[in-house]
Amino acid sequence: MTLTTSAPQDVQLLGPTGPRSPRNHPGQPHVTAVLVAHDGARWLPRVLEALACQTRPPDVVVAVDTGSHDDSAALLGAALGQRQVVQAQRRTGFGAAVRLGLEYLQADETDTERAGRWVWLLHDDAAPQPTALAQLLDAAAQSPQVAIVGPKLVHWDDPTRLLEVGLSVSRGGRRHTGVAERERDQGQHDHRADVLAVGTAGMLVERQLWDRLGGLDPALPLIRDDIDLCWRAHLSGRRVVLAPRAVVADAQASTRGQRSLDAVRGSVRRVDRRHALHVALARASWPALPFVLGWLVVTGLARTLAMLLAKAPGAAWDELASTLTVALTPWTWLGSRWRARGTRSVRRRDVSGMLSPRWAFVRHGLERLGGLAARADLDDETPLVAPETGPVADESDPVVLPAPRWRRRLVRHPMTTVLLLVGASSAVAFRRLAGSGTLTGGELNSVQGSPGALWHAAIDAWAGSGLGALTASSPAALLRAGATAALRPIAGDAAASRSVD
């Protein structure tokens, strides 16, 4: 990792009227904001402007750029000053980046100086509203037991659409955001409440607790690291609360595939599932650990089969790969348990009440399978745009629906894979039948007579042996006559008869 070596200076933020320095706030907690960027030039201008417009700005801001290939580092340097930007390697995870920023700013601080201080975690694609930090601090001041406070997350382009109002998980690791899909914000969640976890986008965490717990788990570079940290905070006897009046607009660029995940390997779905199982095993009690591991393996295999039946082979493979990886590499989650030793001060059963209901995973699984089956024939990269109806303004741009990519859909369709596999296995199983010879046996009837006789037998209404009977001929007779007529010019009468046989 590469760190800048110059000493920190006063932070310069670009506000609406130009550069300004954040003030000290006597009698108020000291807040250090750590902004982590990774190819975030698309969202950073709005995030930096939102940071500059805070009614209660942070006392210190440091940015960590994890090897961005775009203009992220330049944007951060122009807004904060080059000496406030720490450079790190591209594969650095979010937790490691935050740790680098804090070490760079406060290397000389003692534990006493860190008392009462807070760390505000910021993503490069999450813009806080002007009163966000003030509302977070207000929620933190309600009780000395509060150690982590999280905001309400809304959609980047639509602030009325809810994304998260706190997080919870089932015992099998299923993540629940507390809102329904595409739920609108009508104030129904605007009450402060204790939650199991909050996301790292806009999370406010007490510095002493951060140091005591060791920050975010290094085994979880991205995704599920927030749930693990908050779970450990509960086990240490502290509270995690949601401040719904603190609002952050989140683009969720990493989980929506708008940029690469260089800190982890695999698709977002696979990493999310693998880390979910990791957290479930890392936070289970020792007596229950063998049962939890067995249950996760059994349910993982069952979900794999269910996803195959729902014609979602990609999701099935991610589920299977995640389950096998976690089951066959126990040292990863055992290492997380070892790093958390000595921090627990309450019983694990006291935290279990914040987990999702035991049978919530059944409803979630059915909804997931229904969604996979409904989207099986759709191209995920083709947006579904409904054309506007009714009168429109003259300056309105016409809505253009992209042409369906039928070739890609045909290649990616699960039935194509099934047909190719069946065809290949059939070719291997019947490879001895290729070439010369007669195929007979079972219900296969030999072909006798000339092509004219075959056509006569196929269309004649009088059929059967002996005196015969007035009955309809078999449809197979038409197929035999047609095949014989088609092969006769190529292979001759004898070869055509043997091929049809």
Side-chain angles (χ1 to χ4, degrees):
M1 297 181 181
T2 304
L3 293 178
T4 55
T5 57
S6 54
Q9 64 177 10
D10 290 339
V11 182
Q12 298 293 322
L13 297 179
L14 292 180
T17 59
R20 63 179 174 84
S21 299
R23 301 169 299 173
N24 292 326
H25 305 277
Q28 296 187 18
H30 184 279
V31 178
T32 300
V34 182
L35 173 60
V36 179
H38 184 81
D39 292 342
R42 175 179 173 182
W43 307 278
L44 268 176
R46 177 177 170 182
V47 174
L48 292 171
E49 181 181 1
L51 184 59
C53 294
Q54 291 297 303
T55 57
R56 198 296 195 187
D59 298 280
V60 179
V61 180
V62 62
V64 182
D65 179 67
T66 57
S68 297
H69 289 164
D70 57 11
D71 296 332
S72 296
L75 291 172
L76 293 172
L80 306 177
Q82 294 295 337
R83 299 179 65 186
Q84 295 300 122
V85 181
V86 180
Q87 297 294 333
Q89 294 180 357
R90 188 166 177 83
R91 295 187 61 86
T92 305
F94 183 79
V98 174
R99 192 175 298 110
L100 288 175
L102 293 177
E103 290 175 355
Y104 173 64
L105 278 180
Q106 303 176 353
D108 299 330
E109 281 189 351
T110 63
D111 293 339
T112 304
E113 292 172 337
R114 295 176 187 174
R117 299 198 170 197
W118 295 81
V119 179
W120 194 23
L121 307 184
L122 296 172
H123 295 187
D124 58 357
D125 61 342
Q129 289 188 358
T131 61
L133 181 56
Q135 293 292 344
L136 292 172
L137 290 172
D138 179 69
Q142 300 303 313
S143 171
Q145 291 300 109
V146 175
I148 297 179
V149 188
K152 175 172 62 179
L153 297 186
V154 298
H155 196 274
W156 179 266
D157 297 319
D158 185 2
T160 65
R161 178 179 166 189
L162 292 171
L163 295 180
E164 290 181 9
V165 287
L167 297 172
S168 182
V169 293
S170 65
R171 287 163 176 79
R174 297 295 164 190
R175 183 174 178 269
H176 301 277
T177 61
V179 297
E181 187 176 1
R182 299 184 179 276
E183 182 176 348
R184 295 293 175 180
D185 186 9
Q186 298 176 333
Q188 66 271 34
H189 299 287
D190 285 356
H191 57 280
R192 188 178 300 124
D194 288 74
V195 293
L196 176 66
V198 293
T200 53
M203 174 191 290
L204 186 69
V205 55
E206 189 183 61
R207 179 62 192 274
Q208 280 189 322
L209 178 72
W210 175 276
D211 293 338
R212 179 187 175 191
L213 299 181
L216 298 169
D217 192 344
L220 305 171
L222 291 175
I223 307 178
R224 299 293 182 132
D225 48 352
D226 42 15
I227 294 178
D228 178 78
L229 175 65
C230 294
W231 201 328
R232 286 184 286 141
H234 282 292
L235 292 175
S236 68
R238 305 300 297 275
R239 292 174 57 190
V240 178
V241 300
L242 173 73
R245 296 188 180 277
V247 182
V248 173
D250 192 2
Q252 297 182 329
S254 298
T255 56
R256 295 182 183 274
Q258 296 179 349
R259 59 180 168 191
S260 60
L261 300 179
D262 296 285
V264 292
R265 295 180 179 179
S267 63
V268 174
R269 183 168 49 196
R270 187 181 306 179
V271 172
D272 178 72
R273 186 58 182 152
R274 183 171 68 242
H275 288 182
L277 300 177
H278 178 107
V279 173
L281 292 170
R283 302 301 150 231
S285 63
W286 283 108
L289 186 58
F291 303 98
V292 173
L293 178 59
W295 171 252
L296 294 180
V297 171
V298 171
T299 55
L301 297 178
R303 282 178 55 85
T304 300
L305 179 59
M307 290 177 181
L308 286 175
L309 296 177
K311 299 189 298 183
W317 169 245
D318 288 337
E319 182 74 27
L320 180 61
S322 302
T323 302
L324 294 180
T325 299
V326 173
L328 298 178
T329 57
W331 53 86
T332 57
W333 41 270
L334 287 176
S336 296
R337 298 179 69 93
W338 173 260
R339 285 188 291 272
R341 69 190 186 281
T343 61
R344 183 171 65 88
S345 60
V346 301
R347 299 175 300 178
R348 297 183 188 272
R349 68 180 66 177
D350 296 335
V351 183
S352 61
M354 292 189 174
L355 300 178
S356 300
R358 292 183 179 273
W359 292 104
F361 76 95
V362 176
R363 178 177 56 85
H364 181 273
L366 293 176
E367 293 176 352
R368 174 66 173 162
L369 291 177
L372 290 173
R375 293 192 297 266
D377 296 334
L378 296 178
D379 187 355
D380 294 338
E381 297 179 5
T382 303
L384 299 178
V385 182
E388 187 176 0
T389 60
V392 295
D394 295 336
E395 63 273 11
S396 299
D397 295 331
V399 178
V400 179
L401 294 179
R405 304 177 183 178
W406 62 270
R407 295 183 181 88
R408 180 178 299 179
R409 289 169 56 185
L410 180 62
V411 172
R412 295 172 56 183
H413 199 284
M415 188 55 64
T416 302
T417 305
V418 172
L419 292 177
L420 291 176
L421 292 176
V422 171
S425 59
S426 299
V428 173
F430 297 102
R431 63 186 182 277
R432 297 182 181 274
L433 301 179
S436 61
T438 302
L439 179 61
T440 60
E443 297 297 326
L444 298 176
N445 296 323
S446 61
V447 178
Q448 300 177 356
S450 63
L454 293 176
W455 282 113
H456 185 272
I459 62 177
D460 193 355
W462 192 268
S465 59
L467 296 177
L470 186 62
T471 181
S473 60
S474 171
L478 290 172
L479 297 177
R480 287 195 292 267
T484 303
L487 295 174
R488 182 183 179 188
I490 301 175
D493 292 341
S497 298
R498 286 197 300 270
S499 299
V500 176
D501 288 348

